Amino acid sequence: IAGITQAPTSQILAAGRRMTLRCTQDMRHNAMYWYRQDLGLGLRLIHYSNTAGTTGKGEVPDGYSVSRANTDDFPLTLASAVPSQTSVYFCASKTEMTGADGYTFGSGTRLTVV
Amino acid sequence: SQKIEQNSEALNIQEGKTATLTCNYTNYSPAYLQWYRQDPGRGPVFLLLIRENEKEKRKERLKVTFDTTLKQSLFHITASQPADSATYLCALDMITGKLIFGQGTTLQVKP
């Protein structure tokens, strides 16, 4: 592993089903983020984590939950998927939340809810 | 209302020319401004960060300017190459660590 690994790469999901998107990083970054990217709307923050054991809500958190049990993993769960959650999901990390450095992004998960 | 605006129309230029992309924002006071490159089907890749007290930053063929009075950043790629073709995103950081992204501008460099 080098950087951020997201799984699955893509998924077609029936509405109402539960789904967890996985994100693992090997850089020992404290801060981690989940964004969704939609055409015409750009990247929007769903949830974030300052450090292991803490999480916070972003701009569009409804319908999503996260956990941060350790430094490396930051899974995103859709409890009951709806078609409006069709999107490309990106996990990202940086060294510290308030540091002057850029994010490292994963390659994304393309999710289609039907 | 708060807005970040990047030119939604694609920018088409000839190889060897300088590409200039614009990022304007309103009702934000960012501590940092960042630029990312995104290729189709891939995640964004960090390019440059410029602080509010810096006017200009350079990295190889890339140059970023940041004017907090005009609330604008310009991103330049000199001696552009077809491999520079991608979507470029600007992002604001209000020192909270939570980036707010523009929608991006697609650059097409023709050989």
Side-chain angles (χ1 to χ4, degrees):
Chain A
I1 298 177
I4 292 184
T5 300
Q6 289 187 239
T9 304
S10 65
Q11 182 77 44
I12 298 174
L13 185 69
R17 297 296 295 268
R18 180 185 179 89
M19 168 106 194
T20 295
L21 280 59
R22 299 185 298 280
C23 173
T24 299
Q25 54 107 353
D26 64 352
M27 299 171 286
R28 308 303 293 172
H29 284 176
N30 279 320
M32 297 188 75
Y33 309 84
W34 275 105
Y35 282 83
R36 59 178 289 175
Q37 187 172 38
D38 303 287
L39 202 61
L41 295 175
L43 284 155
R44 292 180 292 166
L45 182 64
I46 306 171
H47 284 289
Y48 65 92
S49 170
N50 191 9
T51 188
T54 68
T55 62
K57 293 182 180 180
E59 181 187 357
V60 289
D62 293 343
Y64 306 95
S65 64
V66 292
S67 61
R68 187 89 184 274
N70 57 61
T71 297
D72 298 344
D73 301 299
F74 191 42
L76 176 74
T77 297
L78 288 67
S80 179
V82 295
S84 62
Q85 292 178 311
T86 293
S87 186
V88 181
Y89 291 86
F90 288 102
C91 180
S93 71
K94 63 183 289 196
T95 313
E96 301 291 342
M97 192 134 178
T98 55
D101 58 343
Y103 285 12
T104 299
F105 280 87
S107 296
T109 293
R110 182 175 296 274
L111 180 67
T112 303
V113 182
V114 298
Chain B
S1 64
Q2 295 176 313
K3 266 195 303 188
I4 305 173
E5 291 180 316
Q6 295 186 254
N7 195 339
S8 58
E9 291 182 12
L11 178 64
N12 294 295
I13 65 167
Q14 206 65 34
E15 182 177 8
K17 301 292 186 184
T18 296
T20 298
L21 286 68
T22 304
C23 176
N24 294 299
Y25 58 92
T26 54
N27 294 322
Y28 285 113
S29 296
Y32 315 121
L33 190 145
Q34 303 185 19
W35 284 88
Y36 289 78
R37 170 184 173 139
Q38 187 173 24
D39 292 287
R42 308 296 297 271
V45 174
F46 171 68
L47 297 174
L48 279 168
L49 177 151
I50 187 166
R51 292 173 167 79
E52 62 177 334
N53 60 352
E54 296 177 316
K55 296 292 184 190
E56 183 179 297
K57 201 88 169 273
R58 292 175 184 262
K59 178 182 175 184
E60 298 172 353
R61 294 185 295 113
L62 308 180
K63 184 178 86 171
V64 172
T65 63
F66 191 12
D67 189 325
T68 55
T69 301
L70 289 179
K71 296 188 182 297
Q72 181 182 76
S73 175
L74 299 179
F75 177 79
H76 306 273
I77 305 175
T78 58
S80 60
Q81 305 164 0
D84 295 326
S85 299
T87 296
Y88 291 86
L89 309 172
C90 74
L92 307 183
D93 185 352
M94 263 60 69
I95 214 166
T96 61
K98 293 177 278 184
L99 288 182
I100 301 166
F101 284 86
Q103 293 186 32
T105 298
T106 298
L107 171 67
Q108 189 70 35
V109 180
K110 299 186 187 304

